[in-house]
Amino acid sequence: MAENATVARPYAEALFRVAQAGKESFNLAAWSELVAELAQVGAHPEVQAFARNPKASASDVSAAITALVKSPLNTEAKNFLAMLVENGRISLLPEIGAQFQALKNAVEGAADADITSAFDLSAAQVSELVATLEKKFSRKLNPVVTVDPALIGGVRVVVGDQVLDTSVRAKLQQMRVALVA
């Protein structure tokens, strides 16, 4: 059986080409939001179970997913969703969403930055941190900030496969390794 990433790639690339060729009223940013919403809905176990139910028709599944999405679906999005339902590929929506975001980031020269902090950060602190990180990583960053008190202090930043860990927990672990060695 093929991996989800392999099966989802052609769907994500086709949807991305449609998004790039889209009208100004439904631009790449709007598509990105819609695809993220679809990915979130498609990841839900109850939605996946309903999509696999042999008693549910394709139109019922499409209508249910359309009702769960807050954003209005244009014709292309409805066709895309109908095609996924007919092919039994609703479970791929989270992976399609991730690959779509990666394609969008590649075109924009950006990357997603997962920032984990020991404490809540204000908007000003986040923007200052992102500005510093953009200089370090030499690209525009889309931050996602989470709080993890286990870090004790500092932040942990993951951009792609690069990790910048300035947390107190990491420094304590480094000291432990040095003392044990």
Side-chain angles (χ1 to χ4, degrees), residues 73-95:
L73 273 69
N74 61 9
T75 306
E76 291 94 350
K78 287 178 184 175
N79 291 343
F80 179 74
L81 185 58
M83 178 195 51
L84 287 179
V85 171
E86 288 174 19
N87 293 330
R89 303 285 195 198
I90 291 300
S91 62
L92 292 179
L93 276 171
E95 183 63 31

Side-chain angles (χ1 to χ4, degrees), residues 106-147:
V107 166
E108 294 175 345
D112 292 332
D114 294 323
I115 301 172
T116 307
S117 171
F119 304 101
D120 285 329
L121 296 175
S122 69
Q125 289 172 320
V126 171
S127 64
E128 183 179 330
L129 178 61
V130 168
T132 303
L133 292 171
E134 285 177 345
K135 289 178 187 170
K136 176 169 180 46
F137 290 105
S138 303
R139 61 185 123 164
K140 182 183 179 308
L141 298 177
N142 304 318
V144 176
V145 181
T146 56
V147 176

Side-chain angles (χ1 to χ4, degrees), residues 26 33-34 36-38 40-41 64-73:
F26 213 78
E33 284 182 34
L34 177 62
E37 250 185 284
L38 285 170
Q40 188 176 14
V41 169
I65 293 173
T66 302
L68 291 171
V69 176
K70 294 177 187 173
S71 303
L73 273 69

